[in-house]
Amino acid sequence: MTKYILSREDELKNTAGEKAKEDIKKILMDDGFKTLNVKVRETRFSKVIFTKHDISKKLNLTNPNDIIFIQYPIASRYTTKVILNECKKKKIKTVCFIHDLESLRLYKNDARKIKDEINILKEFDCLIAHNSKMMGWLKKCGIPSNKLISLEIFDYLNNNQILNLNSQNDLVFAGNLVKSKFLTHWNINKKLKVFGINPDKNYPRNIQYCGVKSPEELPKYLDGSFGLVWDGTTMITNDGVYGEYTKYNNPHKVSLYLSCGLPVIVWKEAAIAEFIENNGLGLTVASLDDLPGKLENITENDYMIFLSNVEKIMQRIRSGYFTSRAVKKALTVVRDN
């Protein structure tokens, strides 16, 4: 039995999403996986004409009972269906490593597209979901519980030195700023250093825009007190498509911050909040309006406890611990089933 990690030949670089995929690919390769690179056709015509041939040719390298890990979504749904169908023909086991579920994001009000995505996910032999909340939703949609594994949190490979972290330092925020309109309403008497693409033209005085950095170089600049995780248009709650999505997903920026030794601030209703609270990794707030009071009440001893707790998780996130653990569980599921 050979273990493979499927990847696209044309993956984009320097985005948070591709950093996550590249890290998982590296962790699996270090664990003895081979890569199986697939060319994804761009146009609808070329997909229909060439995809099946391309996939079938690649799978000629494999044998029955081999296992392929697929980072989902890898391309179009059509391409994913072809990959799964061709794997079944060759009796190859498939494991889905979920990065995003559009049924919970862009298509959450489209019953037809949700049904289509769930039908695709049902074809996998095992699925690695972000957390227990995402697992619960998948179970409700008909995915058998014995096929599901919780990742808990994404790893973030990061060899940079820990910067100066102090409770009196600025807060930091990184992300695609077009999804973060709440920043234009920042009225907290605490400076926030912001990194990312698509900045607003005018931010309040306590916002310092620090430009765009690649996922690899960003950790060199995150010398703060806490890393902020927030989505949407308002300071009151996480709202909109991406804000609501945080009730189910693991934002990659949480892993970025923790890999830098930074405690975090997250929305209390976000799925990741349970992991943060259980491990004492920072603050959870119902509203950013509550943040000033929370920050004022933190003693130096409180902050040092946060740093100590974060350091333990940081070492795991930097080493690929959560990915490797989930993969081992998935291999057991596939073999037992």
Side-chain angles (χ1 to χ4, degrees):
M1 180 197 73
T2 305
K3 302 170 294 184
Y4 293 94
I5 173 71
L6 194 75
S7 64
R8 292 176 57 168
E9 293 178 355
D10 59 340
E11 289 289 24
L12 298 173
K13 307 297 180 185
N14 290 336
T15 67
E18 299 318 320
K19 166 66 174 166
K21 288 185 177 180
E22 285 299 311
D23 280 356
I24 288 170
K25 180 179 174 182
K26 185 178 187 310
I27 293 164
L28 267 60
M29 288 176 67
D30 287 346
D31 285 345
F33 280 66
K34 293 183 178 181
T35 58
L36 203 62
N37 296 319
V38 173
K39 183 175 182 178
V40 175
R41 304 287 177 167
E42 294 300 323
T43 67
R44 183 181 179 85
F45 175 79
S46 62
K47 283 176 186 173
V48 172
I49 297 298
F50 297 111
T51 297
K52 186 174 180 180
H53 172 267
D54 292 343
I55 301 301
S56 181
K57 185 177 179 181
K58 283 291 180 181
L59 292 182
N60 284 337
L61 302 171
T62 67
N63 295 298
N65 294 318
D66 283 349
I67 300 174
I68 297 180
F69 278 66
I70 298 170
Q71 302 200 65
Y72 179 92
I74 189 170
S76 68
R77 292 189 177 187
Y78 174 78
T79 303
T80 308
K81 289 174 183 177
V82 171
I83 292 171
L84 289 169
N85 286 336
E86 293 302 307
C87 283
K88 285 196 179 298
K89 287 181 185 177
K90 289 211 66 173
K91 298 186 179 351
I92 296 166
K93 303 291 186 179
T94 53
V95 176
C96 177
F97 209 120
I98 297 173
H99 286 270
D100 280 305
L101 290 179
E102 295 304 353
S103 293
L104 288 170
R105 190 166 62 169
L106 299 180
Y107 304 145
K108 66 178 185 176
N109 296 315
D110 190 324
R112 183 183 63 81
K113 287 187 175 179
I114 292 173
K115 182 179 180 181
D116 188 42
E117 182 163 52
I118 293 300
N119 285 339
I120 290 172
L121 296 174
K122 285 180 177 178
E123 293 301 311
F124 285 93
D125 295 292
C126 180
L127 298 97
I128 300 174
H130 289 200
N131 50 59
S132 60
K133 297 290 175 62
M134 185 178 282
M135 283 177 61
W137 184 83
L138 290 167
K139 287 177 189 176
K140 287 181 181 178
C141 292
I143 306 291
S145 59
N146 64 347
K147 276 189 175 187
L148 293 167
I149 290 164
S150 172
L151 177 64
E152 281 201 273
I153 191 168
F154 280 101
D155 292 309
Y156 198 107
L157 301 185
N158 172 11
N159 295 320
N160 292 283
Q161 289 186 338
I162 303 302
L163 300 176
N164 173 39
L165 304 178
N166 188 293
S167 63
Q168 302 307 308
N169 286 357
D170 302 331
L171 304 177
V172 296
F173 180 85
N176 184 344
L177 303 180
V178 77
K179 302 188 299 180
S180 311
K181 295 300 182 185
F182 75 91
L183 292 170
T184 62
H185 305 295
W186 189 259
N187 57 6
I188 294 174
N189 190 26
K190 181 78 172 177
K191 193 171 180 180
L192 178 66
K193 293 195 293 189
V194 172
F195 301 82
I197 59 174
N198 302 313
D200 200 82
K201 291 181 180 179
N202 295 297
Y203 283 126
R205 63 180 180 85
N206 271 342
I207 297 282
Q208 178 188 352
Y209 178 61
C210 301
V212 180
K213 311 294 179 187
S214 74
E216 285 72 30
E217 64 180 350
L218 188 53
K220 300 174 185 177
Y221 298 89
L222 300 186
D223 53 338
S225 55
F226 289 88
L228 176 63
V229 184
W230 204 261
D231 270 293
T233 63
T234 173
M235 302 271 287
I236 298 172
T237 186
N238 276 206
D239 67 351
V241 171
Y242 293 98
E244 287 292 311
Y245 188 44
T246 60
K247 291 180 178 179
Y248 298 97
N249 81 321
N250 289 345
H252 198 239
K253 70 185 68 175
V254 175
S255 300
L256 162 66
Y257 299 147
L258 294 176
S259 80
C260 296
L262 271 170
V264 296
I265 299 164
V266 305
W267 184 37
K268 203 169 189 65
E269 292 186 47
I272 198 68
E274 183 178 353
F275 184 85
I276 301 306
E277 290 174 345
N278 289 345
N279 292 283
L281 305 175
L283 304 174
T284 60
V285 294
S287 165
L288 288 179
D289 291 340
D290 300 335
L291 189 54
K294 290 249 188 181
L295 292 173
E296 286 175 13
N297 288 328
I298 293 175
T299 67
E300 276 306 307
N301 186 58
D302 292 334
Y303 189 73
M304 294 306 294
I305 291 172
F306 282 146
L307 290 182
S308 177
N309 292 338
V310 169
E311 184 178 5
K312 297 170 189 172
I313 296 297
M314 177 191 73
Q315 298 300 338
R316 289 184 167 188
I317 285 175
R318 283 182 167 217
S319 69
Y321 168 84
F322 292 98
T323 300
S324 292
R325 185 183 63 174
V327 166
K328 286 177 184 176
K329 290 180 179 179
L331 291 172
T332 299
V333 167
V334 169
R335 288 164 182 156
D336 289 349
N337 291 341

Coordinates of all heavy atoms in Angstrom, one line a residue, residues 231-293:
D231 N -14.4 38.8 11.7 CA -14.8 38.9 10.4 C -16.1 39.7 10.3 O -17.0 39.6 11.2 CB -15.1 37.5 9.7 CG -13.8 37.0 9.1 OD1 -13.4 37.6 8.0 OD2 -13.3 36.0 9.5
G232 N -16.3 40.5 9.2 CA -17.6 41.1 9.0 C -17.5 42.6 9.0 O -16.4 43.2 8.8
T233 N -18.7 43.2 9.1 CA -18.8 44.7 8.9 C -18.9 45.5 10.2 O -18.9 46.7 10.2 CB -20.1 45.0 8.1 OG1 -21.2 44.5 8.8 CG2 -20.0 44.3 6.7
T234 N -19.1 44.8 11.3 CA -19.4 45.5 12.6 C -18.5 45.0 13.7 O -18.0 43.9 13.7 CB -20.9 45.2 13.0 OG1 -21.2 45.7 14.3 CG2 -21.2 43.7 13.0
M235 N -18.4 45.9 14.7 CA -17.6 45.5 15.9 C -18.5 44.7 16.9 O -17.9 44.1 17.8 CB -17.2 46.8 16.7 CG -16.4 47.8 15.8 SD -14.6 47.5 16.0 CE -14.3 48.1 17.7
I236 N -19.8 44.7 16.7 CA -20.7 44.1 17.6 C -20.6 42.5 17.6 O -20.7 41.8 18.6 CB -22.1 44.5 17.4 CG1 -22.2 46.1 17.6 CG2 -23.1 43.8 18.3 CD1 -23.5 46.7 17.2
T237 N -20.5 42.0 16.4 CA -20.5 40.5 16.2 C -19.9 40.2 14.9 O -19.6 41.1 14.1 CB -22.0 40.0 16.2 OG1 -22.0 38.6 16.2 CG2 -22.8 40.5 15.0
N238 N -19.6 38.9 14.6 CA -19.2 38.4 13.3 C -20.4 38.3 12.5 O -21.3 37.6 12.8 CB -18.5 37.1 13.4 CG -17.0 37.2 13.8 OD1 -16.2 36.3 13.5 ND2 -16.6 38.2 14.5
D239 N -20.4 39.0 11.3 CA -21.6 38.9 10.5 C -21.2 38.7 9.0 O -20.1 38.6 8.7 CB -22.4 40.2 10.6 CG -21.7 41.4 10.0 OD1 -20.5 41.3 9.7 OD2 -22.4 42.5 9.9
G240 N -22.3 38.6 8.2 CA -22.0 38.4 6.8 C -21.6 37.0 6.5 O -21.6 36.1 7.3
V241 N -21.3 36.7 5.2 CA -21.0 35.4 4.7 C -19.8 34.8 5.5 O -19.8 33.7 6.0 CB -20.7 35.4 3.2 CG1 -20.2 34.0 2.8 CG2 -22.0 35.7 2.4
Y242 N -18.8 35.6 5.6 CA -17.5 35.1 6.2 C -17.6 35.1 7.7 O -17.0 34.2 8.4 CB -16.3 35.9 5.7 CG -16.1 35.7 4.2 CD1 -16.5 36.6 3.3 CD2 -15.4 34.6 3.8 CE1 -16.3 36.4 1.9 CE2 -15.2 34.3 2.4 CZ -15.6 35.3 1.5 OH -15.5 35.1 0.2
G243 N -18.3 36.0 8.3 CA -18.5 36.0 9.7 C -19.3 34.8 10.2 O -18.9 34.2 11.2
E244 N -20.4 34.5 9.5 CA -21.2 33.4 9.9 C -20.4 32.1 9.7 O -20.6 31.1 10.4 CB -22.5 33.3 9.0 CG -23.5 34.4 9.4 CD -24.1 34.1 10.8 OE1 -24.5 32.9 11.0 OE2 -24.2 35.0 11.6
Y245 N -19.5 32.1 8.7 CA -18.7 30.9 8.4 C -17.8 30.5 9.6 O -17.5 29.3 9.8 CB -17.9 31.1 7.2 CG -17.1 30.0 6.6 CD1 -17.7 28.7 6.5 CD2 -15.8 30.1 6.1 CE1 -17.0 27.6 5.9 CE2 -15.1 29.1 5.6 CZ -15.7 27.8 5.5 OH -15.0 26.8 4.9
T246 N -17.4 31.5 10.4 CA -16.5 31.2 11.5 C -17.2 30.3 12.6 O -16.5 29.8 13.5 CB -16.0 32.5 12.2 OG1 -17.1 33.3 12.7 CG2 -15.2 33.3 11.2
K247 N -18.5 30.1 12.5 CA -19.2 29.2 13.4 C -18.9 27.8 13.2 O -19.2 26.9 14.0 CB -20.7 29.4 13.3 CG -21.2 30.7 13.9 CD -22.8 30.8 13.7 CE -23.3 32.1 14.3 NZ -24.8 32.2 14.2
Y248 N -18.2 27.5 12.0 CA -17.9 26.2 11.6 C -16.4 25.9 11.2 O -16.0 24.8 11.3 CB -18.8 25.8 10.4 CG -20.2 25.8 10.6 CD1 -21.0 26.9 10.3 CD2 -20.9 24.7 11.2 CE1 -22.4 26.9 10.6 CE2 -22.2 24.7 11.5 CZ -23.0 25.8 11.2 OH -24.3 25.9 11.4
N249 N -15.7 27.0 10.8 CA -14.4 26.7 10.2 C -13.3 27.1 11.2 O -13.6 27.7 12.3 CB -14.2 27.5 8.9 CG -13.8 29.0 9.2 OD1 -14.4 29.6 10.1 ND2 -12.9 29.5 8.4
N250 N -12.1 26.7 10.9 CA -10.9 27.1 11.7 C -10.2 28.2 10.9 O -9.5 27.8 9.9 CB -9.9 25.9 11.9 CG -10.5 24.9 12.9 OD1 -11.4 25.1 13.6 ND2 -9.9 23.7 12.9
P251 N -10.3 29.4 11.2 CA -9.5 30.5 10.5 C -8.0 30.2 10.6 O -7.5 29.9 11.6 CB -9.9 31.8 11.2 CG -11.2 31.5 11.9 CD -11.1 30.0 12.3
H252 N -7.4 30.3 9.4 CA -5.9 30.0 9.4 C -5.1 31.0 10.1 O -4.0 30.7 10.6 CB -5.5 29.9 7.9 CG -4.2 29.2 7.7 ND1 -3.1 29.8 7.1 CD2 -3.8 27.9 8.0 CE1 -2.1 28.9 7.0 NE2 -2.5 27.8 7.6
K253 N -5.6 32.2 10.3 CA -4.9 33.2 11.0 C -4.7 32.9 12.5 O -3.8 33.3 13.1 CB -5.5 34.6 10.8 CG -6.9 34.8 11.5 CD -7.5 36.2 11.2 CE -7.9 36.2 9.7 NZ -8.6 37.5 9.4
V254 N -5.6 32.1 13.0 CA -5.5 31.6 14.4 C -4.2 30.8 14.5 O -3.4 31.1 15.4 CB -6.7 30.8 14.9 CG1 -6.4 30.2 16.3 CG2 -7.9 31.6 14.8
S255 N -3.9 30.0 13.6 CA -2.7 29.2 13.5 C -1.5 30.0 13.3 O -0.4 29.8 13.9 CB -2.8 28.1 12.5 OG -3.9 27.2 12.7
L256 N -1.6 31.0 12.4 CA -0.5 32.0 12.2 C -0.1 32.6 13.5 O 1.1 32.6 13.9 CB -1.0 33.0 11.2 CG -0.1 34.3 11.2 CD1 1.3 34.0 10.7 CD2 -0.8 35.4 10.3
Y257 N -1.1 33.2 14.2 CA -0.8 33.9 15.5 C -0.1 33.0 16.5 O 0.9 33.3 17.1 CB -2.0 34.5 16.1 CG -2.7 35.5 15.2 CD1 -4.1 35.7 15.3 CD2 -2.0 36.4 14.4 CE1 -4.8 36.6 14.5 CE2 -2.7 37.4 13.6 CZ -4.1 37.5 13.7 OH -4.8 38.4 12.9
L258 N -0.8 31.8 16.7 CA -0.3 30.9 17.7 C 1.1 30.4 17.3 O 2.0 30.1 18.2 CB -1.2 29.7 17.9 CG -2.6 30.1 18.5 CD1 -3.5 28.8 18.5 CD2 -2.5 30.6 19.9
S259 N 1.4 30.2 16.1 CA 2.7 29.8 15.6 C 3.8 30.8 15.9 O 5.0 30.5 15.9 CB 2.8 29.4 14.1 OG 2.9 30.6 13.3
C260 N 3.4 32.1 16.1 CA 4.3 33.2 16.5 C 4.3 33.4 18.0 O 5.0 34.3 18.4 CB 3.8 34.4 15.8 SG 3.9 34.4 14.0
G261 N 3.6 32.5 18.7 CA 3.6 32.7 20.2 C 2.6 33.7 20.7 O 2.6 34.0 21.9
L262 N 1.8 34.2 19.8 CA 0.8 35.3 20.2 C -0.5 34.7 20.8 O -1.1 33.8 20.1 CB 0.4 36.1 19.0 CG 1.3 37.3 18.6 CD1 0.8 37.8 17.3 CD2 1.1 38.4 19.7
P263 N -0.9 35.1 21.9 CA -2.3 34.8 22.4 C -3.3 35.4 21.4 O -2.9 36.4 20.7 CB -2.4 35.4 23.8 CG -1.0 35.6 24.2 CD -0.2 35.9 22.9
V264 N -4.5 34.9 21.4 CA -5.5 35.4 20.4 C -6.7 36.0 21.0 O -7.0 35.7 22.2 CB -5.8 34.3 19.4 CG1 -4.6 33.8 18.6 CG2 -6.5 33.1 20.1
I265 N -7.4 36.7 20.2 CA -8.8 37.3 20.6 C -9.7 36.8 19.5 O -9.5 37.0 18.3 CB -8.8 38.8 20.6 CG1 -7.8 39.3 21.7 CG2 -10.2 39.3 20.9 CD1 -7.5 40.8 21.5
V266 N -10.8 36.0 19.9 CA -11.7 35.4 18.9 C -13.1 35.7 19.4 O -13.4 35.9 20.6 CB -11.5 33.9 18.7 CG1 -10.1 33.6 18.3 CG2 -11.8 33.1 20.0
W267 N -14.0 35.6 18.4 CA -15.5 35.7 18.7 C -15.9 34.5 19.5 O -15.6 33.4 19.2 CB -16.2 35.8 17.4 CG -17.7 36.0 17.4 CD1 -18.4 36.8 18.3 CD2 -18.7 35.4 16.6 NE1 -19.7 36.8 18.0 CE2 -19.9 35.9 17.0 CE3 -18.6 34.6 15.5 CZ2 -21.1 35.6 16.3 CZ3 -19.8 34.2 14.8 CH2 -21.0 34.7 15.3
K268 N -16.7 34.8 20.5 CA -17.2 33.7 21.5 C -18.0 32.7 20.8 O -18.0 31.5 21.2 CB -18.0 34.4 22.6 CG -18.0 33.5 23.9 CD -18.6 34.3 25.0 CE -18.4 33.5 26.3 NZ -17.0 33.4 26.8
E269 N -18.7 33.0 19.7 CA -19.5 32.0 19.0 C -18.8 31.3 17.9 O -19.4 30.4 17.2 CB -20.8 32.7 18.5 CG -21.7 33.2 19.6 CD -23.0 33.7 19.0 OE1 -23.6 33.1 18.1 OE2 -23.4 34.8 19.4
A270 N -17.5 31.7 17.6 CA -16.8 31.0 16.6 C -16.5 29.5 17.0 O -16.3 29.3 18.2 CB -15.5 31.7 16.3
A271 N -16.4 28.6 16.1 CA -16.1 27.2 16.4 C -14.7 27.1 17.1 O -14.6 26.2 18.0 CB -16.1 26.4 15.1
I272 N -13.8 27.9 16.7 CA -12.4 27.8 17.3 C -12.4 28.3 18.7 O -11.4 28.0 19.5 CB -11.4 28.6 16.4 CG1 -10.0 28.1 16.7 CG2 -11.6 30.1 16.6 CD1 -9.6 26.8 16.3
A273 N -13.4 29.0 19.2 CA -13.4 29.5 20.6 C -13.3 28.4 21.6 O -12.6 28.6 22.6 CB -14.7 30.3 20.8
E274 N -13.9 27.3 21.4 CA -13.8 26.2 22.3 C -12.4 25.7 22.5 O -11.9 25.5 23.6 CB -14.7 25.0 21.8 CG -14.7 23.8 22.8 CD -15.6 22.7 22.3 OE1 -16.3 22.9 21.3 OE2 -15.6 21.7 22.9
F275 N -11.6 25.6 21.4 CA -10.2 25.2 21.5 C -9.4 26.3 22.3 O -8.5 25.9 23.1 CB -9.7 25.0 20.1 CG -8.2 24.5 20.0 CD1 -8.0 23.2 20.1 CD2 -7.2 25.4 19.9 CE1 -6.7 22.7 20.1 CE2 -5.9 25.0 19.9 CZ -5.6 23.6 19.9
I276 N -9.7 27.6 22.0 CA -8.9 28.6 22.7 C -9.2 28.6 24.2 O -8.3 28.8 25.0 CB -9.3 30.0 22.0 CG1 -9.0 30.0 20.5 CG2 -8.6 31.1 22.8 CD1 -7.6 29.7 20.2
E277 N -10.5 28.5 24.5 CA -10.9 28.5 25.9 C -10.3 27.3 26.7 O -9.8 27.4 27.8 CB -12.4 28.6 26.1 CG -13.0 29.9 25.7 CD -14.5 29.9 25.7 OE1 -15.1 28.8 25.7 OE2 -15.1 31.0 25.6
N278 N -10.5 26.1 26.1 CA -10.0 24.9 26.7 C -8.5 24.8 27.0 O -8.0 24.2 27.9 CB -10.4 23.6 25.9 CG -11.9 23.4 25.9 OD1 -12.6 23.9 26.7 ND2 -12.4 22.6 25.0
N279 N -7.8 25.5 26.1 CA -6.3 25.5 26.2 C -5.7 26.8 26.8 O -4.5 26.9 26.9 CB -5.7 25.2 24.9 CG -5.9 23.8 24.4 OD1 -5.3 22.9 24.8 ND2 -6.9 23.6 23.5
G280 N -6.6 27.7 27.2 CA -6.1 29.0 27.8 C -5.2 29.8 26.9 O -4.2 30.3 27.3
L281 N -5.7 30.0 25.6 CA -4.8 30.6 24.6 C -5.1 32.1 24.3 O -4.6 32.7 23.4 CB -4.9 29.8 23.3 CG -4.5 28.3 23.4 CD1 -4.8 27.6 22.1 CD2 -3.1 28.1 23.9
G282 N -6.0 32.6 25.1 CA -6.3 34.0 24.9 C -7.8 34.4 25.3 O -8.3 33.7 26.2
L283 N -8.3 35.4 24.7 CA -9.6 35.9 25.1 C -10.7 35.5 24.0 O -10.5 35.5 22.8 CB -9.6 37.4 25.2 CG -8.5 38.0 26.1 CD1 -8.5 39.5 26.0 CD2 -8.8 37.6 27.5
T284 N -11.9 35.2 24.5 CA -13.1 35.1 23.7 C -14.1 36.2 24.1 O -14.3 36.4 25.3 CB -13.7 33.7 23.8 OG1 -14.2 33.5 25.1 CG2 -12.8 32.6 23.4
V285 N -14.6 36.9 23.1 CA -15.5 38.0 23.4 C -16.8 37.9 22.5 O -16.7 37.5 21.3 CB -14.8 39.4 23.1 CG1 -13.7 39.6 24.1 CG2 -14.3 39.5 21.7
A286 N -17.9 38.3 23.1 CA -19.1 38.3 22.3 C -19.2 39.5 21.4 O -19.8 39.4 20.3 CB -20.3 38.4 23.3
S287 N -18.5 40.6 21.8 CA -18.5 41.8 21.0 C -17.1 42.5 21.2 O -16.6 42.4 22.3 CB -19.6 42.8 21.4 OG -19.4 44.1 20.9
L288 N -16.6 43.2 20.2 CA -15.4 43.9 20.4 C -15.6 45.1 21.3 O -14.6 45.7 21.8 CB -14.8 44.4 19.0 CG -14.2 43.3 18.1 CD1 -13.8 43.9 16.8 CD2 -13.1 42.6 18.8
D289 N -16.8 45.5 21.5 CA -17.1 46.5 22.5 C -16.7 46.1 23.9 O -16.5 46.9 24.8 CB -18.6 46.9 22.5 CG -19.0 47.7 21.2 OD1 -18.1 48.2 20.6 OD2 -20.2 47.7 20.9
D290 N -16.6 44.8 24.1 CA -16.3 44.2 25.4 C -14.7 44.2 25.6 O -14.3 43.9 26.7 CB -16.8 42.8 25.6 CG -18.3 42.7 25.5 OD1 -19.0 43.8 25.8 OD2 -18.9 41.7 25.2
L291 N -14.0 44.4 24.5 CA -12.6 44.1 24.5 C -11.8 45.1 25.5 O -10.9 44.6 26.2 CB -12.0 44.2 23.1 CG -10.6 43.8 22.9 CD1 -10.3 42.4 23.5 CD2 -10.2 43.9 21.5
P292 N -12.1 46.4 25.5 CA -11.3 47.3 26.4 C -11.4 46.9 27.8 O -10.3 46.8 28.5 CB -12.0 48.7 26.2 CG -12.5 48.6 24.8 CD -13.0 47.2 24.6
G293 N -12.6 46.5 28.3 CA -12.7 46.0 29.7 C -11.9 44.8 30.0 O -11.3 44.6 31.0

